């Protein structure tokens, strides 16, 4: 039984509006809908696709949607599935970014963000622990994570350099100590045989379009390269090479190829570039953007749309009656150049990656990179904690209320396994109540 493309598109469009909860939550929703409920794909084939998407740089949930859409309905099925997963959150984040800049200084809104920032700190640290449990399954990988943490925390090394060093260690270690760089099972495998056959079942042959073809690879690669060159060249011609929008395009293209380890892996790199290097936004604004990304549907990496919007809006704030459109352009550019490589890696690299299944020479460098990412994310969490707990620097006063909110958020995440949305909502309420209480006391 084949599922019509129109029926699949209805589901992918719906998914774009309900995919809350970060990568783990989105993958769980996909599993429930596609494996258990609709039987579009079997458990084993779903895990097979998921494991490969987790090896790729970029947002694994969006790539998994693209991968399954590609398996079901060829190239256009993958493109439409991946795009519909992203577009709702892009439009929502453009609107929320405008509200943030236009009304963020209103006291009660500022109080909500004051409460959210400590929760974001707890969420990032929780992500480091969660990813660490999944990734650091031996002492060698733990040492790589620790060295990665020290490299960025003490030596302030750039994120791409850390990724490169980890990859080289993985290449060498995979040959000398292969047992230390074996891939661990990402998800426990449950039998789906009692649910009846799926459309793409365990023994369904790989469709012709998913098999490796040199001609198809060249054609698709040329198409993706054209879709990258034309917009980039247009931005350079219209605005100039060293201006904002070509910088956004080039920066997020690099980010797309360096984010091994899932959505949280992109944050340290984006932070280093957007805050420290280009000064498009402040550390506090970056945390607010992450909070907005957590509370909207779609992949968490959509925080890039917030960064792009703020960069465009703020730079064109003076001398323009309506900087909204400059911000919206920045958000669209950041999104396009972040996600275009993801489509390339799935649609062009999918058949190649499938042929490398179980080959340690391919997976060992990625295992080492995933371990290094844990250390980088832990550093980001501590950096956020510093800015939240000491808003005026180490010489200034300590924000004890932020420490308390962060402590309760961490307790809810670690001890009671609460979802990100409920933790952010509770922290926002705490910030608002603190503001109302202080207003009554004055």
């Amino acid at each position: 039984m084949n599922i019509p493309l129109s029926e699949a598109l209805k589901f992918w469009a719906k998914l774009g509006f309900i995919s809350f909860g970060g990568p783990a939550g989105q993958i769980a929703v996909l599993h429930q809908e596609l494996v258990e409920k609709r039987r579009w794909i079997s458990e084993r084939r779903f895990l097979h696709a998921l494991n490969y998407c987790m090896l790729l740089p970029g947002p694994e949930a969006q790539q998994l949607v693209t991968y399954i859409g590609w398996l079901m309905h060829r190239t256009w099925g993958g493109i439409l599935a991946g795009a519909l997963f992203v577009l709702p959150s892009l439009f929502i984040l453009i609107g929320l970014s405008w509200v943030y800049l236009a009304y963020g200084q209103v006291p009660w809104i500022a109080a909500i963000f004051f409460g959210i920032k400590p929760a974001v700190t707890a969420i990032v640290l929780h992500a480091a622990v969660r990813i660490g449990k999944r990734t650091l399954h031996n002492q060698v990988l733990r040492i790589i994570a620790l060295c990665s943490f020290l490299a960025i925390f003490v030596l302030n090394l750039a994120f791409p350099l850390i990724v490169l060093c980890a990859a080289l260690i993985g290449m060498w270690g995979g040959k000398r100590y292969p047992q230390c760089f074996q891939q661990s099972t990402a998800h426990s495998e449950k039998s789906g045989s009692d649910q009846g056959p799926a459309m793409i079942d365990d023994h369904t042959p790989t469709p012709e379009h998913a098999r490796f073809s040199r001609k198809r690879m060249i054609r698709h690669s040329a198409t993706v390269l054209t879709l990258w060159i034309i917009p980039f060249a247009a931005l350079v011609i219209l605005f100039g090479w060293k201006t904002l929008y070509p910088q956004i395009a080039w920066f997020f293209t690099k980010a797309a190829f360096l984010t091994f380890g899932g959505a949280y892996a992109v944050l340290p790199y984006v932070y280093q570039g957007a805050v420290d290097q280009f000064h498009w936004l402040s550390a506090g604004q970056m945390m607010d953007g992450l909070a907005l990304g957590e509370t909207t549907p779609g992949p968490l990496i959509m925080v890039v749309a917030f960064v792009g919007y703020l960069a465009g809006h703020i730079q064109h704030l003076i001398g323009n009656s309506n900087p909204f459109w400059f911000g919206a352009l920045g958000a669209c550019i950041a999104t396009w150049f972040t996600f275009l490589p993801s489509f390339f890696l799935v649609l062009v690299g999918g058949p190649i990656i499938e042929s490398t299944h179980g080959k340690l020479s391919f997976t060992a460098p990625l295992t080492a990179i995933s371990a290094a990412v844990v250390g980088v994310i832990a550093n980001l969490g501590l950096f956020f904690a510093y800015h939240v707990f000491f808003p005026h620097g180490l010489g200034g006063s300590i924000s004890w209320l932020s420490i308390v909110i962060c402590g309760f958020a961490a307790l809810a995440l670690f001890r009671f396994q609460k979802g990100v949305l409920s933790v952010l909502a509770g922290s926002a309420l705490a910030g608002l109540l603190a503001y109302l209480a202080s207003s009554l006391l004055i």
Side-chain angles (χ1 to χ4, degrees):
M1 180 186 70
N2 291 322
I3 306 299
L5 178 59
S6 58
E7 182 180 340
L9 291 181
K10 289 179 184 178
F11 171 73
W12 300 130
K14 171 189 171 184
L15 183 69
F17 287 97
I18 64 170
S19 55
F20 293 92
Q26 291 157 2
I27 290 169
V29 169
L30 278 171
H31 183 274
Q32 183 181 32
E33 289 284 342
L34 300 183
V35 177
E36 298 176 6
K37 183 178 177 182
R38 300 171 188 268
R39 300 297 294 153
W40 287 0
I41 188 169
S42 70
E43 174 84 18
R44 187 167 296 179
R45 295 293 286 266
F46 179 88
L47 291 175
H48 178 74
L50 174 60
N51 286 335
Y52 282 127
C53 290
M54 292 183 73
L55 293 178
L56 298 173
E60 61 263 39
Q62 186 266 346
Q63 289 169 338
L64 180 60
V65 167
T66 306
Y67 197 110
I68 295 174
W70 167 64
L71 280 179
M72 291 175 60
H73 296 109
R74 307 175 67 88
T75 301
W76 274 110
I79 292 171
L80 293 172
L84 288 171
F85 189 69
V86 170
L87 286 176
S89 60
L90 171 62
F91 295 130
I92 292 170
L93 271 172
I94 287 175
L96 290 177
S97 301
W98 175 78
V99 171
Y100 173 79
L101 286 181
Y103 301 102
Q105 299 305 312
V106 175
W108 66 271
I109 293 181
I112 289 175
F113 279 104
F114 174 86
I116 284 176
K117 286 177 183 177
V120 169
T121 302
I123 288 167
V124 173
L125 291 172
H126 180 252
V129 172
R130 190 179 68 244
I131 296 171
K133 287 180 178 179
R134 188 184 72 199
T135 306
L136 309 179
H137 47 83
N138 61 55
Q139 194 64 27
V140 171
L141 296 179
R142 295 186 193 104
I143 291 172
I144 292 174
L146 177 61
C147 291
S148 163
F149 173 80
L150 294 175
I152 194 168
F153 184 79
V154 178
L155 303 178
N156 199 30
L157 292 184
F159 182 73
L161 183 59
I162 294 173
V163 169
L164 176 61
C165 291
L168 293 174
I169 291 171
M171 289 175 64
W172 173 80
K175 296 176 181 177
R176 293 292 301 273
Y177 308 100
Q179 71 278 6
C180 296
F181 293 88
Q182 295 284 352
Q183 283 280 320
S184 62
T185 303
H187 286 68
S188 59
E189 191 168 330
K190 297 176 290 184
S191 174
S193 59
D194 59 333
Q195 298 170 301
M199 191 195 80
I200 302 176
D201 209 22
D202 292 351
H203 305 294
T204 302
T206 301
E208 189 277 332
H209 67 270
R211 296 171 185 164
F212 178 76
S213 164
R214 190 180 300 275
K215 185 183 295 185
R216 188 186 299 117
M217 183 186 72
I218 293 172
R219 184 173 69 248
H220 286 179
S221 298
T223 301
V224 171
L225 187 61
T226 301
L227 291 173
W228 186 90
I229 289 175
I230 291 177
F232 189 81
L235 292 173
V236 172
I237 292 169
L238 288 172
F239 299 102
W241 167 249
K242 293 188 176 180
T243 57
L244 173 67
Y245 295 121
Q247 284 182 338
I248 291 175
W250 180 240
F251 174 73
F252 284 110
T253 297
K254 292 186 293 181
F257 285 105
L258 291 168
T259 55
F260 292 93
Y264 282 98
V266 75
L267 298 177
Y269 181 74
V270 172
Y271 181 91
Q272 279 188 333
V275 178
D276 294 336
Q277 182 182 352
F278 295 109
H279 308 291
W280 291 334
L281 68 171
S282 68
Q285 288 172 330
M286 183 70 193
M287 295 182 69
D288 293 337
L290 179 55
L292 290 177
E294 291 276 16
T295 55
T296 53
L300 179 59
I301 201 175
M302 281 304 297
V303 69
V304 302
F306 176 84
V307 173
Y309 182 92
L310 260 65
H313 185 114
I314 292 172
Q315 186 163 112
H316 296 87
L317 196 57
I318 300 173
N320 291 281
S321 58
N322 192 357
F324 168 82
W325 296 109
F326 293 97
L329 177 60
C332 292
I333 291 170
T335 303
W336 177 267
F337 286 94
T338 297
F339 283 94
L340 185 63
S342 287
F343 288 99
F344 168 79
L345 290 168
V346 171
L347 299 177
V348 176
I352 301 173
I353 291 171
E354 285 199 351
S355 69
T356 64
H357 181 59
K359 293 186 179 179
L360 191 63
S361 60
F362 177 78
T363 60
L366 299 176
T367 300
I369 290 171
S370 297
V373 162
V374 175
V376 175
I377 296 173
N379 171 75
L380 183 71
L382 292 180
F383 190 85
F384 280 174
Y386 165 75
H387 280 276
V388 171
F389 301 158
F390 302 93
H392 305 292
L394 288 175
S397 59
I398 300 175
S399 176
W400 292 106
L401 179 58
S402 295
I403 293 175
V404 170
I405 293 175
C406 182
F408 277 108
L411 187 66
L413 289 165
F414 285 95
R415 177 68 178 84
F416 297 104
Q417 306 293 313
K418 295 295 183 182
V420 167
L421 282 177
S422 59
V423 171
L424 286 172
S427 301
L429 180 61
L432 184 59
L433 291 176
Y435 163 71
L436 294 174
S438 63
S439 300
L440 292 175
L441 293 175
I442 295 176

